[in-house]
PDB file of all heavy atoms in Angstrom:
ATOM      1  N   ALA Y  43       0.838  -1.206   0.000  1.00 89.00           N
ATOM      2  CA  ALA Y  43       0.000   0.000   0.000  1.00 89.00           C
ATOM      3  C   ALA Y  43       0.868   1.249   0.000  1.00 89.00           C
ATOM      4  O   ALA Y  43       0.542   2.241  -0.668  1.00 89.00           O
ATOM      5  CB  ALA Y  43      -0.932   0.000   1.211  1.00 89.00           C
ATOM      6  N   LEU Y  44       1.977   1.214   0.729  1.00 92.00           N
ATOM      7  CA  LEU Y  44       2.881   2.368   0.773  1.00 92.00           C
ATOM      8  C   LEU Y  44       3.450   2.650  -0.610  1.00 92.00           C
ATOM      9  O   LEU Y  44       3.507   3.806  -1.045  1.00 92.00           O
ATOM     10  CB  LEU Y  44       4.018   2.118   1.774  1.00 92.00           C
ATOM     11  CG  LEU Y  44       5.052   3.234   1.906  1.00 92.00           C
ATOM     12  CD1 LEU Y  44       4.410   4.508   2.421  1.00 92.00           C
ATOM     13  CD2 LEU Y  44       6.190   2.801   2.838  1.00 92.00           C
ATOM     14  N   ARG Y  45       3.835   1.599  -1.309  1.00 94.00           N
ATOM     15  CA  ARG Y  45       4.371   1.765  -2.671  1.00 94.00           C
ATOM     16  C   ARG Y  45       3.345   2.400  -3.593  1.00 94.00           C
ATOM     17  O   ARG Y  45       3.646   3.347  -4.334  1.00 94.00           O
ATOM     18  CB  ARG Y  45       4.776   0.390  -3.208  1.00 94.00           C
ATOM     19  CG  ARG Y  45       5.320   0.391  -4.649  1.00 94.00           C
ATOM     20  CD  ARG Y  45       5.229  -0.993  -5.240  1.00 94.00           C
ATOM     21  NE  ARG Y  45       3.848  -1.448  -5.302  1.00 94.00           N
ATOM     22  CZ  ARG Y  45       3.453  -2.701  -5.072  1.00 94.00           C
ATOM     23  NH1 ARG Y  45       4.326  -3.628  -4.727  1.00 94.00           N
ATOM     24  NH2 ARG Y  45       2.174  -3.019  -5.175  1.00 94.00           N
ATOM     25  N   ASP Y  46       2.107   1.895  -3.563  1.00 94.00           N
ATOM     26  CA  ASP Y  46       1.053   2.435  -4.426  1.00 94.00           C
ATOM     27  C   ASP Y  46       0.727   3.880  -4.054  1.00 94.00           C
ATOM     28  O   ASP Y  46       0.465   4.713  -4.934  1.00 94.00           O
ATOM     29  CB  ASP Y  46      -0.208   1.579  -4.316  1.00 94.00           C
ATOM     30  CG  ASP Y  46      -0.011   0.167  -4.867  1.00 94.00           C
ATOM     31  OD1 ASP Y  46       0.949  -0.037  -5.634  1.00 94.00           O
ATOM     32  OD2 ASP Y  46      -0.807  -0.720  -4.504  1.00 94.00           O
ATOM     33  N   ALA Y  47       0.744   4.181  -2.753  1.00 96.00           N
ATOM     34  CA  ALA Y  47       0.442   5.535  -2.301  1.00 96.00           C
ATOM     35  C   ALA Y  47       1.518   6.518  -2.747  1.00 96.00           C
ATOM     36  O   ALA Y  47       1.207   7.621  -3.229  1.00 96.00           O
ATOM     37  CB  ALA Y  47       0.310   5.559  -0.784  1.00 96.00           C
ATOM     38  N   VAL Y  48       2.769   6.139  -2.604  1.00 97.00           N
ATOM     39  CA  VAL Y  48       3.870   7.018  -3.013  1.00 97.00           C
ATOM     40  C   VAL Y  48       3.825   7.253  -4.519  1.00 97.00           C
ATOM     41  O   VAL Y  48       4.041   8.383  -4.993  1.00 97.00           O
ATOM     42  CB  VAL Y  48       5.226   6.432  -2.584  1.00 97.00           C
ATOM     43  CG1 VAL Y  48       6.378   7.231  -3.191  1.00 97.00           C
ATOM     44  CG2 VAL Y  48       5.347   6.415  -1.064  1.00 97.00           C
ATOM     45  N   ALA Y  49       3.504   6.210  -5.281  1.00 97.00           N
ATOM     46  CA  ALA Y  49       3.393   6.367  -6.730  1.00 97.00           C
ATOM     47  C   ALA Y  49       2.289   7.364  -7.083  1.00 97.00           C
ATOM     48  O   ALA Y  49       2.449   8.198  -7.991  1.00 97.00           O
ATOM     49  CB  ALA Y  49       3.119   5.012  -7.379  1.00 97.00           C
ATOM     50  N   ALA Y  50       1.158   7.294  -6.372  1.00 97.00           N
ATOM     51  CA  ALA Y  50       0.059   8.237  -6.616  1.00 97.00           C
ATOM     52  C   ALA Y  50       0.481   9.661  -6.271  1.00 97.00           C
ATOM     53  O   ALA Y  50       0.164  10.615  -7.001  1.00 97.00           O
ATOM     54  CB  ALA Y  50      -1.168   7.838  -5.802  1.00 97.00           C
ATOM     55  N   LEU Y  51       1.199   9.824  -5.171  1.00 98.00           N
ATOM     56  CA  LEU Y  51       1.686  11.156  -4.787  1.00 98.00           C
ATOM     57  C   LEU Y  51       2.649  11.693  -5.833  1.00 98.00           C
ATOM     58  O   LEU Y  51       2.625  12.885  -6.176  1.00 98.00           O
ATOM     59  CB  LEU Y  51       2.371  11.090  -3.423  1.00 98.00           C
ATOM     60  CG  LEU Y  51       1.449  10.862  -2.218  1.00 98.00           C
ATOM     61  CD1 LEU Y  51       2.263  10.560  -0.971  1.00 98.00           C
ATOM     62  CD2 LEU Y  51       0.549  12.074  -1.981  1.00 98.00           C
ATOM     63  N   GLN Y  52       3.483  10.835  -6.361  1.00 97.00           N
ATOM     64  CA  GLN Y  52       4.444  11.273  -7.370  1.00 97.00           C
ATOM     65  C   GLN Y  52       3.752  11.684  -8.662  1.00 97.00           C
ATOM     66  O   GLN Y  52       4.322  12.431  -9.464  1.00 97.00           O
ATOM     67  CB  GLN Y  52       5.470  10.163  -7.624  1.00 97.00           C
ATOM     68  CG  GLN Y  52       6.414   9.951  -6.443  1.00 97.00           C
ATOM     69  CD  GLN Y  52       7.302   8.728  -6.593  1.00 97.00           C
ATOM     70  OE1 GLN Y  52       6.987   7.798  -7.356  1.00 97.00           O
ATOM     71  NE2 GLN Y  52       8.405   8.701  -5.879  1.00 97.00           N
ATOM     72  N   ARG Y  53       2.520  11.223  -8.845  1.00 97.00           N
ATOM     73  CA  ARG Y  53       1.719  11.660 -10.000  1.00 97.00           C
ATOM     74  C   ARG Y  53       0.981  12.956  -9.692  1.00 97.00           C
ATOM     75  O   ARG Y  53       0.250  13.477 -10.532  1.00 97.00           O
ATOM     76  CB  ARG Y  53       0.697  10.582 -10.383  1.00 97.00           C
ATOM     77  CG  ARG Y  53       1.299   9.293 -10.906  1.00 97.00           C
ATOM     78  CD  ARG Y  53       0.233   8.429 -11.563  1.00 97.00           C
ATOM     79  NE  ARG Y  53      -0.840   8.062 -10.648  1.00 97.00           N
ATOM     80  CZ  ARG Y  53      -0.849   6.961  -9.898  1.00 97.00           C
ATOM     81  NH1 ARG Y  53       0.193   6.136  -9.929  1.00 97.00           N
ATOM     82  NH2 ARG Y  53      -1.870   6.696  -9.110  1.00 97.00           N
ATOM     83  N   GLY Y  54       1.133  13.473  -8.455  1.00 98.00           N
ATOM     84  CA  GLY Y  54       0.494  14.732  -8.089  1.00 98.00           C
ATOM     85  C   GLY Y  54      -0.861  14.589  -7.444  1.00 98.00           C
ATOM     86  O   GLY Y  54      -1.604  15.574  -7.318  1.00 98.00           O
ATOM     87  N   GLU Y  55      -1.212  13.383  -6.974  1.00 98.00           N
ATOM     88  CA  GLU Y  55      -2.514  13.161  -6.359  1.00 98.00           C
ATOM     89  C   GLU Y  55      -2.546  13.652  -4.907  1.00 98.00           C
ATOM     90  O   GLU Y  55      -1.505  13.790  -4.257  1.00 98.00           O
ATOM     91  CB  GLU Y  55      -2.857  11.666  -6.368  1.00 98.00           C
ATOM     92  CG  GLU Y  55      -2.936  11.046  -7.754  1.00 98.00           C
ATOM     93  CD  GLU Y  55      -4.233  11.375  -8.477  1.00 98.00           C
ATOM     94  OE1 GLU Y  55      -5.014  12.206  -7.971  1.00 98.00           O
ATOM     95  OE2 GLU Y  55      -4.474  10.785  -9.546  1.00 98.00           O
ATOM     96  N   VAL Y  56      -3.768  13.888  -4.414  1.00 98.00           N
ATOM     97  CA  VAL Y  56      -4.002  14.157  -2.992  1.00 98.00           C
ATOM     98  C   VAL Y  56      -4.568  12.885  -2.378  1.00 98.00           C
ATOM     99  O   VAL Y  56      -5.575  12.355  -2.851  1.00 98.00           O
ATOM    100  CB  VAL Y  56      -4.995  15.315  -2.786  1.00 98.00           C
ATOM    101  CG1 VAL Y  56      -5.305  15.488  -1.300  1.00 98.00           C
ATOM    102  CG2 VAL Y  56      -4.428  16.605  -3.345  1.00 98.00           C
ATOM    103  N   LEU Y  57      -3.914  12.384  -1.330  1.00 98.00           N
ATOM    104  CA  LEU Y  57      -4.360  11.162  -0.673  1.00 98.00           C
ATOM    105  C   LEU Y  57      -4.987  11.486   0.673  1.00 98.00           C
ATOM    106  O   LEU Y  57      -4.540  12.393   1.374  1.00 98.00           O
ATOM    107  CB  LEU Y  57      -3.180  10.207  -0.468  1.00 98.00           C
ATOM    108  CG  LEU Y  57      -2.439   9.731  -1.717  1.00 98.00           C
ATOM    109  CD1 LEU Y  57      -1.429   8.657  -1.347  1.00 98.00           C
ATOM    110  CD2 LEU Y  57      -3.410   9.222  -2.778  1.00 98.00           C
ATOM    111  N   GLY Y  58      -6.011  10.724   1.026  1.00 98.00           N
ATOM    112  CA  GLY Y  58      -6.650  10.859   2.333  1.00 98.00           C
ATOM    113  C   GLY Y  58      -6.312   9.664   3.198  1.00 98.00           C
ATOM    114  O   GLY Y  58      -6.327   8.521   2.725  1.00 98.00           O
ATOM    115  N   MET Y  59      -6.003   9.921   4.463  1.00 96.00           N
ATOM    116  CA  MET Y  59      -5.577   8.862   5.381  1.00 96.00           C
ATOM    117  C   MET Y  59      -6.244   9.028   6.743  1.00 96.00           C
ATOM    118  O   MET Y  59      -6.439  10.151   7.210  1.00 96.00           O
ATOM    119  CB  MET Y  59      -4.056   8.915   5.584  1.00 96.00           C
ATOM    120  CG  MET Y  59      -3.254   8.195   4.514  1.00 96.00           C
ATOM    121  SD  MET Y  59      -3.295   6.414   4.742  1.00 96.00           S
ATOM    122  CE  MET Y  59      -2.418   6.249   6.307  1.00 96.00           C
ATOM    123  N   PHE Y  60      -6.549   7.904   7.368  1.00 96.00           N
ATOM    124  CA  PHE Y  60      -6.985   7.881   8.761  1.00 96.00           C
ATOM    125  C   PHE Y  60      -5.871   7.211   9.558  1.00 96.00           C
ATOM    126  O   PHE Y  60      -5.810   5.974   9.630  1.00 96.00           O
ATOM    127  CB  PHE Y  60      -8.294   7.095   8.915  1.00 96.00           C
ATOM    128  CG  PHE Y  60      -9.441   7.654   8.109  1.00 96.00           C
ATOM    129  CD1 PHE Y  60      -9.917   6.980   6.996  1.00 96.00           C
ATOM    130  CD2 PHE Y  60     -10.027   8.854   8.466  1.00 96.00           C
ATOM    131  CE1 PHE Y  60     -10.963   7.487   6.256  1.00 96.00           C
ATOM    132  CE2 PHE Y  60     -11.075   9.380   7.730  1.00 96.00           C
ATOM    133  CZ  PHE Y  60     -11.558   8.698   6.616  1.00 96.00           C
ATOM    134  N   PRO Y  61      -4.965   7.985  10.137  1.00 96.00           N
ATOM    135  CA  PRO Y  61      -3.800   7.392  10.813  1.00 96.00           C
ATOM    136  C   PRO Y  61      -4.150   6.400  11.911  1.00 96.00           C
ATOM    137  O   PRO Y  61      -3.376   5.478  12.183  1.00 96.00           O
ATOM    138  CB  PRO Y  61      -3.066   8.611  11.394  1.00 96.00           C
ATOM    139  CG  PRO Y  61      -3.483   9.743  10.523  1.00 96.00           C
ATOM    140  CD  PRO Y  61      -4.901   9.457  10.150  1.00 96.00           C
ATOM    141  N   GLU Y  62      -5.324   6.570  12.544  1.00 95.00           N
ATOM    142  CA  GLU Y  62      -5.719   5.617  13.588  1.00 95.00           C
ATOM    143  C   GLU Y  62      -6.149   4.282  12.987  1.00 95.00           C
ATOM    144  O   GLU Y  62      -6.269   3.291  13.709  1.00 95.00           O
ATOM    145  CB  GLU Y  62      -6.848   6.199  14.425  1.00 95.00           C
ATOM    146  CG  GLU Y  62      -6.463   7.438  15.206  1.00 95.00           C
ATOM    147  CD  GLU Y  62      -7.678   8.126  15.804  1.00 95.00           C
ATOM    148  OE1 GLU Y  62      -8.334   8.913  15.087  1.00 95.00           O
ATOM    149  OE2 GLU Y  62      -7.963   7.873  16.983  1.00 95.00           O
ATOM    150  N   SER Y  63      -6.410   4.277  11.689  1.00 90.00           N
ATOM    151  CA  SER Y  63      -6.738   3.087  10.887  1.00 90.00           C
ATOM    152  C   SER Y  63      -8.093   2.458  11.216  1.00 90.00           C
ATOM    153  O   SER Y  63      -8.498   1.489  10.580  1.00 90.00           O
ATOM    154  CB  SER Y  63      -5.639   2.018  10.999  1.00 90.00           C
ATOM    155  OG  SER Y  63      -5.695   1.316  12.220  1.00 90.00           O
ATOM    156  N   THR Y  64      -8.818   2.996  12.156  1.00 92.00           N
ATOM    157  CA  THR Y  64     -10.150   2.501  12.485  1.00 92.00           C
ATOM    158  C   THR Y  64     -10.938   3.608  13.174  1.00 92.00           C
ATOM    159  O   THR Y  64     -10.350   4.586  13.660  1.00 92.00           O
ATOM    160  CB  THR Y  64     -10.078   1.273  13.412  1.00 92.00           C
ATOM    161  OG1 THR Y  64     -11.379   0.697  13.554  1.00 92.00           O
ATOM    162  CG2 THR Y  64      -9.548   1.649  14.808  1.00 92.00           C
ATOM    163  N   ILE Y  65     -12.254   3.469  13.198  1.00 96.00           N
ATOM    164  CA  ILE Y  65     -13.087   4.436  13.916  1.00 96.00           C
ATOM    165  C   ILE Y  65     -12.800   4.340  15.401  1.00 96.00           C
ATOM    166  O   ILE Y  65     -12.796   3.262  15.985  1.00 96.00           O
ATOM    167  CB  ILE Y  65     -14.576   4.181  13.632  1.00 96.00           C
ATOM    168  CG1 ILE Y  65     -14.905   4.535  12.175  1.00 96.00           C
ATOM    169  CG2 ILE Y  65     -15.462   4.986  14.583  1.00 96.00           C
ATOM    170  CD1 ILE Y  65     -16.329   4.192  11.761  1.00 96.00           C
ATOM    171  N   ASN Y  66     -12.543   5.489  16.019  1.00 96.00           N
ATOM    172  CA  ASN Y  66     -12.251   5.541  17.439  1.00 96.00           C
ATOM    173  C   ASN Y  66     -13.558   5.744  18.200  1.00 96.00           C
ATOM    174  O   ASN Y  66     -14.187   6.789  18.118  1.00 96.00           O
ATOM    175  CB  ASN Y  66     -11.282   6.687  17.733  1.00 96.00           C
ATOM    176  CG  ASN Y  66     -10.721   6.629  19.132  1.00 96.00           C
ATOM    177  OD1 ASN Y  66     -11.435   6.316  20.077  1.00 96.00           O
ATOM    178  ND2 ASN Y  66      -9.441   6.938  19.276  1.00 96.00           N
TER     179      ASN Y  66
END
């Protein structure tokens, strides 16, 4: 997932993330 995310960023995309990875 990190590889795919970095590739998307390198294409100029905006990525959304939930660092807690689940609903708190």
Side-chain angles (χ1 to χ4, degrees):
L44 179 63
R45 178 200 61 218
D46 294 341
V48 171
L51 289 170
Q52 290 172 338
R53 294 194 300 269
E55 299 282 8
V56 175
L57 300 187
M59 276 283 295
F60 301 109
E62 296 169 276
S63 77
T64 189
I65 291 175
N66 192 320

